[in-house]
């Protein structure tokens, strides 16, 4: 199982930087520069709202919103992360 | 913009540190699910994708088959293929170099590279994150497996908010343009809407459709927004 997992996940990444990457590059051209914001925004949404394949509204949302406010105020990444953790932990402690 | 003058290597280390702590929780989780130290080490070193590793161990822990574990893990790893086109810009051009560096194309390295303003910084950010994150992730996994539940319930101190918040910080330079904001908003909405109906790993792939409205916005603005940056961000462009 571990061998299949390692080979599969490496294969996916190789595909991305070779054949698939080249095709996407050719099709999208300069629009590849919009790909990171698209993928990472979706990732944030999933990590904030998803739990075990379902949407779940919990203390993570409080932390991520607090972190986003800190980022908007141009706080450094350490501060953004600490604010988010503190807000989530605080919310959990008081509810 | 003061934010952009900060040396990027500090953020790389912060990212790796957070991932290292999550690595400890992975070690604890895998240990509790019955994996031995060697298996945990092999997984963290060679699978090297946090979400997939958690998914695989979770399936086994729930009594699922090895096939089901690999399936759900690889579905979550599928997004790494989409990071390829972004990472290609910072990876070595030679085939062998590309094949060797492909192992390190993951959420964090791609996001760190894409948050930089030029190709050199992007490559620097990619490799500093790749090496330190690999070491911390593996070190964390080993520590977690050996020490067991040393950290208590990581959720009581909000660790599950640290990871998304990290990516929020990395999104900041991308949402300064109208097209970037459109892509971000639509992608989040698509992913959100897809969760109840699609298997884990699929929603983020569907979110790529957000490129369409983003392109529309970019064109309507008569934008000089495309092609100004070589490393995947438009932060130099005013909208």
């Amino acid at each position: 199982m571990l061998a299949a997992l390692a080979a599969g996940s490496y294969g996916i990444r190789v595909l991305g930087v070779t054949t698939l990457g080249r095709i996407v590059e050719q099709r999208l051209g300069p629009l590849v520069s919009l790909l990171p914001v698209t993928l990472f925004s979706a990732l944030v949404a999933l990590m904030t709202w998803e739990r075990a394949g379902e949407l779940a509204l919990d203390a993570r949302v409080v932390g991520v919103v607090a972190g986003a406010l800190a980022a908007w105020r141009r706080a450094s990444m350490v501060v953004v992360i600490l604010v988010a953790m503190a807000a989530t932990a605080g919310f959990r402690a008081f509810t | 913009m003061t934010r952009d003058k900060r040396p990027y290597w500090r953020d790389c280390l912060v990212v790796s540190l957070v991932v290292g702590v999550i690595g400890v929780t992975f070690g604890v989780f895998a240990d509790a699910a019955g994996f031995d130290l060697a298996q945990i080490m092999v997984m963290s070193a060679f699978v090297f994708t946090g979400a997939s590793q958690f998914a695989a161990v979770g399936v086994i822990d729930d009594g699922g088959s090895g096939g089901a574990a690999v399936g759900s893990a690889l579905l979550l790893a599928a997004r790494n293929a989409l990071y390829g086109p972004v990472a290609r810009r910072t990876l070595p051009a030679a085939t062998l170099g590309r094949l060797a560096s492909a192992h390190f194309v993951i959420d964090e390295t791609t996001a760190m590279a894409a948050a930089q303003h030029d190709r050199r910084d992007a490559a620097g950010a990619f490799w500093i994150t790749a090496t330190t994150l690999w070491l911390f992730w593996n070190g964390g996994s080993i520590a977690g497996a050996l020490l067991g539940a040393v950290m208590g319930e990581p959720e009581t101190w909000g660790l599950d908010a640290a990871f998304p918040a990290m990516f929020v910080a990395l999104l900041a330079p991308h949402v300064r343009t109208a097209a970037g904001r459109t892509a971000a908003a639509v992608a989040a909405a698509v992913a959100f809407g897809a969760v109840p109906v699609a298997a884990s790993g699929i929603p983020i792939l569907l979110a790529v459709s957000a490129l369409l409205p983003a392109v529309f916005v970019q064109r309507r603005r008569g934008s000089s927004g495309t092609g100004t940056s070589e490393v995947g961000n438009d932060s130099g462009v005013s909208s």
Side-chain angles (χ1 to χ4, degrees):
Chain A
M1 184 198 94
L2 290 185
L5 206 53
S9 62
Y10 179 65
I12 284 168
R13 287 179 271 214
V14 165
L15 193 70
V17 297
T18 55
T19 321
L20 182 78
R22 201 167 45 241
I23 293 169
V24 171
E25 224 168 34
Q26 283 163 356
R27 290 284 159 89
L28 292 182
L31 296 176
V32 170
S33 60
L34 282 170
L35 205 50
V37 65
T38 305
L39 293 168
F40 294 121
S41 177
L43 194 61
V44 167
L46 292 169
M47 290 187 300
T48 308
W49 300 94
E50 187 199 356
R51 194 168 295 278
E54 306 283 337
L55 291 177
L57 181 63
D58 60 34
R60 287 176 298 173
V61 180
V62 179
V64 174
V65 169
L69 284 174
W72 180 57
R73 299 296 305 270
R74 297 188 184 280
S76 68
M77 188 192 277
V78 192
V79 174
V80 170
I81 292 171
L82 291 179
V83 163
M85 288 176 71
T88 294
F91 187 81
R92 283 202 178 112
F94 289 107
T95 49
Chain B
M1 288 181 228
T2 48
R3 175 188 184 85
D4 302 321
K5 285 184 188 141
R6 292 194 186 114
Y8 60 79
W9 59 265
R10 262 187 249 166
D11 281 355
C12 298
L13 289 182
V14 171
V15 166
S16 297
L17 207 63
V18 170
V19 171
V21 176
I22 297 172
V24 178
T25 68
F26 173 73
V28 171
F29 180 48
D31 181 55
F35 287 78
D36 64 32
L37 180 63
Q39 290 171 321
I40 293 171
M41 286 170 73
V42 166
M43 225 191 306
S44 285
F46 295 106
V47 181
F48 190 51
T49 310
S52 302
Q53 291 178 227
F54 271 106
V57 171
V59 170
I60 298 294
D61 194 32
D62 288 343
S65 69
V70 172
S72 59
L74 291 186
L75 212 49
L76 277 167
R79 66 172 180 262
N80 289 329
L82 291 175
Y83 297 152
V86 181
R88 263 169 79 86
R89 301 169 164 206
T90 56
L91 295 184
T95 312
L96 205 63
R98 218 169 242 169
L99 290 181
S101 43
H103 187 54
F104 301 98
V105 177
I106 52 172
D107 300 330
E108 298 85 350
T109 50
T110 309
M112 278 306 306
Q116 309 308 319
H117 288 282
D118 61 60
R119 225 176 252 254
R120 244 190 77 182
D121 284 1
F126 182 92
W127 284 111
I128 294 173
T129 310
T131 46
T132 56
L133 190 144
W134 191 89
L135 289 172
F136 288 6
W137 175 249
N138 283 279
S141 304
I142 294 169
L146 291 178
L147 301 173
V150 276
M151 306 196 302
E153 221 26 74
E155 286 174 2
T156 54
W157 38 282
L159 184 65
D160 50 347
F163 203 63
M166 186 165 99
F167 285 94
V168 166
L170 289 170
L171 274 179
H174 294 282
V175 291
R176 291 189 195 135
T177 63
R181 282 190 294 273
T182 307
V186 177
V190 170
F192 192 86
V195 166
V197 291
S200 289
I202 302 286
I204 194 168
L205 306 181
L206 296 177
V208 176
S209 59
L211 282 176
L212 284 171
V215 170
F216 181 71
V217 167
Q218 198 168 47
R219 297 239 165 100
R220 254 175 60 117
R221 299 253 165 163
S223 173
S224 53
T226 48
T228 47
S229 162
E230 297 184 50
V231 289
N233 85 54
D234 297 323
S235 34
V237 186
S238 56
S239 55

